[in-house]
Amino acid sequence: AVVSTQSTGNNLSLRLRTMSYKSVSLFAVQLLLLLHAAASVSTKIASTHSGNKGPEPCALVCSGTTGAGRTNWRKWATGEIYLWVDTSDCGFVSKPTVTTTLSVAVISKRITGTSQVAYESTGGFRVYLQGFVDENGDLSPEYAMDRNYAVNWLAVGYNC
């Protein structure tokens, strides 16, 4: 039963709404199933860069994207660009394992090349792109920005 009050002028009226036992029981079962599903989700890390594993309850999967049109590409060398990806919001306490993909909003005629993750740390990592060249044989920050290149990333590590 749920009790609610309603004030009308100087009079206070009391309304009683009742729920059947069947609907209360169904709600309770649904709530228990939801809580069990949330509690049974776990992440297991099979190996780490250092070879040291942290406590399993501290295993964390964190992901994000640099965002199309918002990625701060920088020139590295002819045909190469890079950027720093900030993962500090994840709260890693040791270097995570990082996987990346390249998202391109504007399809190029030639979309071949490779990417490299480097300088991984608890706060972020660097991504280098090589070989994703334009018709002139170069890859520039402007070319990547014009085509909305973005990095999607997934980092797995420990937060305690």
Side-chain angles (χ1 to χ4, degrees):
V2 177
V3 177
S4 64
T5 60
Q6 180 179 14
S7 177
T8 54
N10 291 334
N11 298 329
L12 187 61
S13 65
L14 194 60
R15 293 185 297 160
L16 180 63
R17 294 182 292 164
T18 59
M19 296 173 61
S20 72
Y21 287 110
K22 185 177 181 180
S23 60
V24 169
S25 298
L26 181 60
F27 175 74
V29 168
Q30 289 173 334
L31 183 60
L32 285 173
L33 288 173
L34 179 65
L35 291 173
H36 175 69
S40 66
V41 173
S42 66
T43 299
K44 183 173 180 112
I45 298 176
S47 62
T48 65
H49 290 285
S50 67
N52 301 324
K53 292 185 183 179
E56 198 166 313
C58 299
L60 173 70
V61 176
C62 189
S63 67
T65 182
T66 59
R70 297 176 303 154
T71 303
N72 190 22
W73 294 106
R74 298 184 183 279
K75 184 77 170 173
W76 179 251
T78 301
E80 297 181 28
I81 58 175
Y82 74 98
L83 75 137
W84 175 258
V85 178
D86 183 357
T87 63
S88 58
D89 285 346
C90 299
F92 291 116
V93 296
S94 60
K95 181 170 70 170
T97 301
V98 177
T99 302
T100 64
T101 61
L102 180 65
S103 176
V104 180
V106 178
I107 301 299
S108 301
K109 290 179 186 176
R110 287 175 32 192
I111 188 74
T112 58
T114 186
S115 65
Q116 175 186 355
V117 173
Y119 304 109
E120 302 102 306
S121 71
T122 58
F125 59 92
R126 211 181 246 195
V127 175
Y128 292 89
L129 294 184
Q130 301 109 5
F132 295 89
V133 296
D134 64 11
E135 294 77 24
N136 298 322
D138 194 15
L139 176 60
S140 66
E142 297 77 22
Y143 182 82
M145 287 293 290
D146 288 347
R147 285 154 182 81
N148 290 318
Y149 282 22
V151 172
N152 308 306
W153 56 270
L154 180 76
V156 181
Y158 295 98
N159 65 353
C160 63

